[in-house]
Amino acid sequence: MALLPILTAPDRRLKQKAAPVEEVSEKIVKLMDDMVETMYAAPGIGLAAPQVNVLKRVIVVDVENYDGGEEHNLLTLANPEIIEKEGEIVWAEGCLSVPNFTEDVVRAEKVVVQALNKEGKKIEITAEGLLAVCLQHEIDHLDGQLFIDHVSRLKRAIILQKLKKRKKSE
Ligand code: NI
């Protein structure tokens, strides 16, 4: 396994739409494993392939991973798709590609997600609360969307400005 560098905003590569996975091949499984390692090391509770500069519809999620500790509820998914959503929830979201910022985002409170698992089997996940939020956030990444695309234009502009400045001073 390998740690992958994580792209941070603003970066055009984070704004692209990722392509479906045709088959959960060995290469995709290796990508999933590397993404899991990268997510745990960050530490984060979710990671999407475009964040590590791979334009494939692959996400990994573990909402128990607040403290970078043991794995509790790991999901490694290809071609995740929301097939049902319900209700509304506001969550202060962050993102490894938008480091050190959090903003309230409105999402569906419950979702049903269809995807392929690491074994290439079609599965369905019913999620609510943080897991539902996280799945929606990661699936957004596959369509070139960041959580800051859900906040006001002014807030987004301020955050991007600060991120740009920080990048320059690095
Ligand atoms: Ni994110």
Side-chain angles (χ1 to χ4, degrees), residues 22-161:
E22 279 174 28
E23 183 202 352
V24 184
S25 60
E26 247 171 70
K27 210 175 151 192
I28 294 293
V29 170
K30 162 103 173 66
L31 170 67
M32 286 171 166
D33 287 343
D34 288 345
M35 283 172 61
V36 169
E37 195 184 356
T38 304
M39 171 180 73
Y40 283 141
I45 59 172
L47 191 67
Q51 292 180 274
V52 292
N53 202 17
V54 177
L55 277 180
K56 291 272 180 206
R57 300 188 82 80
V58 172
I59 63 170
V60 298
V61 167
D62 186 347
V63 293
E64 308 291 338
N65 189 40
Y66 284 118
D67 51 4
E70 300 151 39
E71 19 183 308
H72 295 287
N73 187 16
L74 178 62
L75 295 170
T76 51
L77 306 176
N79 301 343
E81 215 181 306
I82 296 165
I83 56 167
E84 272 176 54
K85 49 167 90 179
E86 196 187 305
E88 212 175 87
I89 189 172
V90 179
W91 204 283
E93 294 187 24
C95 178
L96 295 173
S97 293
V98 189
N100 305 113
F101 288 96
T102 54
E103 287 293 338
D104 282 351
V105 176
V106 185
R107 305 261 189 197
E109 209 262 320
K110 285 184 187 174
V111 292
V112 179
V113 171
Q114 212 170 59
L116 298 175
N117 69 8
K118 208 173 153 183
E119 286 74 44
K121 238 176 83 184
K122 202 177 210 182
I123 56 165
E124 226 173 75
I125 300 147
T126 303
E128 56 179 66
L130 178 58
L131 181 57
V133 167
C134 193
L135 285 166
Q136 290 170 85
H137 175 120
E138 300 313 327
I139 292 169
D140 261 6
H141 275 298
L142 304 180
D143 293 317
Q145 292 277 307
L146 302 174
F147 79 89
I148 50 173
D149 293 314
H150 292 279
V151 306
S152 74
R153 222 157 139 191
L154 179 64
K155 267 188 192 164
R156 180 165 59 250
I158 291 169
I159 290 172
L160 287 172
Q161 197 59 43

